Amino acid sequence: MKLFDVYSLYDIEPVRGEGNYVFTADGERYLDLYGGHAVISIGHAHPHYVKSISDQVAQLGFYSNSVQNSLQQRMADLLGELSGYDDYQLFLVNSGAEANENAMKLASFVTGREKILAFDKAFHGRTSAAVAATDNPKIQAPLNRTEKIDFSPLNDIEAAKVKLATGEYAAVIVEGIQGVAGIRMVEDEFLQQLRELTEATGTLLILDEIQSGYGRSGRFFAHQHAGIRPDIITAAKGIANGFPMGALLIAPHIKPEKGMLGTTFGGSHLACAAAIAVLEVMRQENLVENAAEVGEYLIEELGKMPELKEVRGRGLMIGVEIEGSASELRKRLLFDHHIFTGGAGATTVRLLSPLTITKAEADHFLAEFKKLLASN
Ligand SMILES: Cc1ncc(COP(=O)(O)O)c(C=O)c1O
């Protein structure tokens, strides 16, 4: 059988990971500033993570959501403590798209309304409502296209005001920082105004923190820089360091009903063991603070490089706008300098390193990047 060929692949195969590095079968080492697409939060093969998952799978890997599973409550307690949302409710799923899908569905259940407002260049996933709320017609099949989802310009509160005044929208969905769009900043003031506007119009505010959350921005969630509290927050990617998992954090005013949401795999014993280990390591190693510190340092140092057109971001979610082709530059970073990075569009290099990156590793990247830009 052949693989369904939908991914553009680099000709390289990492077979082992340790800390902030991955290794190929011939033992070559690569610095990971991509985190396997913002997924590796606590570094590769962290000993506490490996032990937690190994112990759990030997004990009980899975049972259904029809029995007690105290690991879910343990995860909820830890997440509440670390994120500052201990009064919220947790619902566990398996991916980012599924988290957003459920968030929009829940908003529609709660408000009785049919429409969702999203923003230009948004990316919310590839399932039905999530892809309809994604501003990219190329990845929407005819089945996914719907008049129930509208787009408004990001950071333009007046445009959102006109739409929300109709009272038709169940929710507004917005990323903490737009990732796939190329690290596009959502202004703090815009988020604050959006919070007021959604409250005034009985619309729920959904913060998609799938890429920008879990410490990446230097706060637990990126919207916390703006000091607001959304009605629903979605998380995935770094939540279980590579084990597939997604989550909804749901405000106390939203009341659950039996059967309203559900999933077979969501919140499994093994997924919870992985997620608990991630939160324990984040707390033990102060990884949100590390993301803030090393991220600020990287942004400052990259900002001094005259060859770069723009540097955007917060914490360890950084977009570097270059002259020329980002994919060419990334290829040279990978094959000539042994550094993995991410892309976003034709001219943006995206840095999404594990939250464990050290200042010495950041310095190594900066030195190699300088060399590469000088030779260009
Ligand atoms: C902001 C955002 N939302 C949703 C998703 C979808 O997540 P998943 O690929 O886990 O379905 C992504 C993935 O890149 C994302 O960046």
Side-chain angles (χ1 to χ4, degrees), residues 31-34 216 290-305 308 310-320 339 341 350-370:
L31 179 61
D32 186 7
L33 297 192
Y34 178 45
R216 180 145 301 282
N290 190 63
E293 267 171 45
V294 182
E296 193 181 327
Y297 175 68
L298 272 169
I299 291 170
E300 200 179 301
E301 293 302 311
L302 287 164
K304 293 179 190 162
M305 296 185 186
L308 302 178
E310 195 181 17
V311 180
R312 298 182 293 271
R314 253 175 178 162
L316 292 172
M317 188 162 174
I318 303 173
V320 179
I339 298 172
T341 56
R350 222 174 354 157
L351 304 180
L352 300 162
S353 81
L355 309 182
T356 41
I357 185 177
T358 63
K359 188 163 170 292
E361 287 159 350
D363 277 330
H364 172 72
F365 161 68
L366 290 165
E368 295 298 306
F369 198 44
K370 255 186 215 158

Side-chain angles (χ1 to χ4, degrees), residues 31-327:
L31 179 61
D32 186 7
L33 297 192
Y34 178 45
H37 208 64
V39 165
I40 301 303
S41 44
I42 60 167
H44 295 276
H46 192 290
H48 180 60
Y49 178 80
V50 172
K51 181 169 185 336
S52 298
I53 300 185
S54 307
D55 289 354
Q56 187 61 50
V57 78
Q59 196 72 30
L60 182 66
F62 177 81
Y63 207 75
S64 90
N65 275 313
S66 63
V67 296
Q68 302 289 327
N69 175 357
S70 56
L71 293 169
Q72 291 185 357
Q73 190 56 52
R74 166 94 181 118
M75 179 189 170
D77 291 345
L78 266 175
L79 179 54
E81 177 195 321
L82 265 75
S83 68
Y85 281 105
D86 56 352
D87 54 334
Y88 276 45
Q89 308 155 83
L90 180 65
F91 182 69
L92 294 170
V93 292
N94 307 286
S95 70
E98 194 186 351
N100 285 336
E101 200 71 35
N102 278 284
M104 289 184 269
K105 186 189 207 180
L106 183 57
S108 180
F109 270 137
V110 169
T111 60
R113 300 180 184 175
E114 290 186 358
K115 293 182 78 171
I116 300 287
L117 187 65
F119 292 99
D120 66 316
K121 298 204 169 84
F123 184 90
H124 295 297
R126 290 169 181 267
T127 57
S128 66
V131 80
T134 289
D135 186 16
N136 181 357
K138 276 197 224 139
I139 63 168
Q140 293 167 343
L143 169 70
N144 306 127
R145 292 190 199 124
T146 165
E147 311 222 312
K148 293 187 176 170
I149 300 196
D150 282 334
F151 293 90
S152 191
L154 188 71
N155 294 325
D156 180 347
I157 199 63
E158 292 307 320
K161 213 178 259 178
V162 173
K163 298 257 192 219
L164 295 187
T166 61
E168 292 176 342
Y169 294 88
V172 173
I173 184 164
V174 61
E175 287 158 84
I177 297 171
Q178 284 192 336
V180 174
I183 315 296
R184 215 167 151 230
M185 302 307 287
V186 182
E187 290 164 9
D188 290 347
E189 197 191 357
F190 177 71
L191 273 188
Q192 290 153 3
Q193 291 168 330
L194 202 55
R195 179 64 288 190
E196 283 173 21
L197 188 56
T198 46
E199 259 164 16
T201 55
T203 315
L204 299 192
L205 179 60
I206 302 171
L207 248 299
D208 177 345
E209 293 277 6
I210 285 159
Q211 190 167 145
S212 56
Y214 253 76
R216 180 145 301 282
S217 76
R219 300 288 297 265
F220 198 90
F221 290 119
H223 68 263
Q224 291 174 315
H225 290 279
I228 61 146
R229 284 167 75 83
D231 300 295
I232 305 175
I233 303 160
T234 54
K237 290 210 186 281
I239 191 170
N241 210 49
F243 197 95
M245 191 183 216
L248 286 79
L249 284 74
I250 302 164
H253 69 85
I254 299 176
K255 304 291 177 218
E257 280 170 29
K258 298 289 182 205
M260 189 186 214
L261 304 178
T263 150
T264 297
F265 292 122
S268 77
H269 296 69
L270 199 48
C272 285
I276 291 166
V278 164
L279 290 164
E280 285 170 345
V281 170
M282 284 178 73
R283 182 171 62 182
Q284 178 70 26
E285 300 183 8
N286 298 315
L287 293 186
V288 183
E289 292 78 359
N290 190 63
E293 267 171 45
V294 182
E296 193 181 327
Y297 175 68
L298 272 169
I299 291 170
E300 200 179 301
E301 293 302 311
L302 287 164
K304 293 179 190 162
M305 296 185 186
E307 300 91 340
L308 302 178
K309 279 169 76 181
E310 195 181 17
V311 180
R312 298 182 293 271
R314 253 175 178 162
L316 292 172
M317 188 162 174
I318 303 173
V320 179
E321 202 64 35
I322 62 155
E323 299 276 359
S325 156
S327 81

